Amino acid sequence: MGNELCVAAGGTPMLVDMLVVNNTEIPLTLDQDQDCQRDCHHKGWQVAAGKIVEGKEPPEKIDPFSDGKFSASGREGAAVAPNGKVYYENEDVNLKIAICWSCAGWTSPGCSNSATISITGRQADDEGLRGMFRSGPKPWSELIAGDVDTENWVVTIRPRERGDDWKKMIRTIAGGKFTIGRAH
């Protein structure tokens, strides 16, 4: 990597325009504890190959029920496709989200783009919630899911549908005509 900066202008071969959709009630901010590990020391992301396109950096904040956009690309004159990570968090609720992407590019025949979302942290311990639900705080990975569409580079962070909530949602959609059966 040398002295290459993680954010740069210039040509944008193998451009990735990433859309991060926050379909939760939780505002997300770039994780300032994560350093780009290059001489520029940007916070909130790391680029293993390529660059973040200058002027199209990941947004500092993604509000609830909104989205944020950023762009990454290979470097001009290089045949290496972009890959890296962007880190978001909400310190108030102890939530951390890492979005990792890897563009296959034309130099990787037979390969495809890939992306993952890592959701970590745990809700704060609250005696009121513990008494109501008779359980301790749950890990955020059990409450929030991440969906990835690498064809369109859309990452969606959303609440998980679980148990009775899912059953109520199905009954509502089916107008109360749906009954849950057990598999034998």
Side-chain angles (χ1 to χ4, degrees):
M1 279 188 250
N3 291 330
E4 259 182 12
L5 303 179
C6 67
V7 175
T12 55
M14 298 173 271
L15 181 67
V16 172
D17 290 318
M18 185 81 69
L19 175 66
V20 180
V21 179
N22 180 8
N23 278 340
T24 73
E25 296 177 359
I26 304 169
L28 302 171
T29 57
L30 279 176
D31 186 343
Q32 298 300 309
D33 294 336
Q34 300 295 329
D35 184 90
C36 73
Q37 300 176 348
R38 296 195 182 183
D39 291 344
C40 50
H41 298 291
H42 281 100
K43 302 294 184 191
W45 63 80
Q46 296 172 346
V47 178
K51 66 184 179 186
I52 299 288
V53 178
E54 187 174 50
K56 296 185 178 186
E57 295 90 345
E60 283 284 325
K61 183 176 183 182
I62 302 176
D63 290 319
F65 304 107
S66 68
D67 59 54
K69 300 174 186 172
F70 69 94
S71 296
S73 77
R75 292 190 180 267
E76 194 168 10
V80 179
N83 72 70
K85 301 174 183 173
V86 174
Y87 301 92
Y88 281 97
E89 70 176 347
N90 184 305
E91 287 184 341
D92 294 337
V93 297
N94 191 27
L95 169 64
K96 292 191 178 273
I97 296 175
I99 301 167
C100 309
W101 74 91
S102 181
C103 181
W106 55 267
T107 60
S108 305
C111 297
S112 60
N113 297 329
S114 65
T116 60
I117 301 173
S118 173
I119 299 169
T120 59
R122 173 180 284 247
Q123 293 174 300
D125 203 2
D126 182 324
E127 286 302 318
L129 287 176
R130 182 183 299 266
M132 186 183 311
F133 295 112
R134 300 199 194 306
S135 66
K138 297 208 178 292
W140 280 111
S141 60
E142 290 182 18
L143 303 169
I144 294 177
D147 301 321
V148 178
D149 171 1
T150 55
E151 184 150 334
N152 298 300
W153 291 108
V154 177
V155 173
T156 303
I157 301 159
R158 62 173 176 77
R160 285 192 185 273
E161 289 103 18
R162 303 176 19 198
D164 291 334
D165 293 337
W166 177 80
K167 292 175 191 172
K168 288 177 191 171
M169 179 181 69
I170 295 299
R171 283 190 186 120
T172 301
I173 293 169
K177 297 175 186 158
F178 182 76
T179 58
I180 306 240
R182 293 181 186 242
H184 298 283

